[in-house]
Amino acid sequence: MPRYKVTFQPAGVTVEVDPALFPYGKHGQPGSVLDIALAHGVEVEHACGGVGVCGTCHVLVTNSADSLSPPTDDELDVIDAIPAHTLHSRLACQAVVAGDVTVTVPAHNHNAV
Ligand code: FES
């Protein structure tokens, strides 16, 4: 099975992940950006524990958005409620990695609901 590189900005941390090892932890979808971040010491807020309802795990996909699972309608609803959302916004707990990708963790995330 191929391995993927996930880069987190602004920390400048790149980790190589093996999908055969998903899930790494108990927060977010198995193999999600949040799952990978927490397993590699990258701080991403996750107030709801990774079940996709709080919006605090908001990240911006800065490269290779096609390497993530497509967002569900429920995820898009939560993203729409995040004041600083953009067309590149995803919930780290719901976006499952399926290729090399770079995400930026905003300096301040806030509960959307
Ligand atoms: Fe709450 Fe992702 S951790 S929406």
Side-chain angles (χ1 to χ4, degrees), residues 25 34 98:
L34 179 66

Side-chain angles (χ1 to χ4, degrees), residues 28 34 45-58 78 91-94:
L34 179 66
E45 294 294 327
H46 52 287
C48 72
V51 297
V53 298
C54 71
T56 58
C57 66
H58 173 221
V78 174
L91 298 181
C93 68
Q94 302 300 303

Side-chain angles (χ1 to χ4, degrees), residues 99-112:
D100 295 350
V101 66
T102 300
V103 299
T104 297
V105 182
H108 299 287
N109 280 339
H110 304 282
N111 286 336

Side-chain angles (χ1 to χ4, degrees), residues 64-103:
S64 304
D66 291 346
S67 295
L68 297 174
S69 60
T72 63
D73 288 344
D74 287 343
E75 179 182 348
L76 292 173
D77 286 346
V78 174
I79 289 171
D80 281 346
I82 299 170
H85 78 274
T86 76
L87 293 175
H88 306 289
S89 293
R90 291 297 307 268
L91 298 181
C93 68
Q94 302 300 303
V96 175
V97 173
D100 295 350
V101 66
T102 300
V103 299

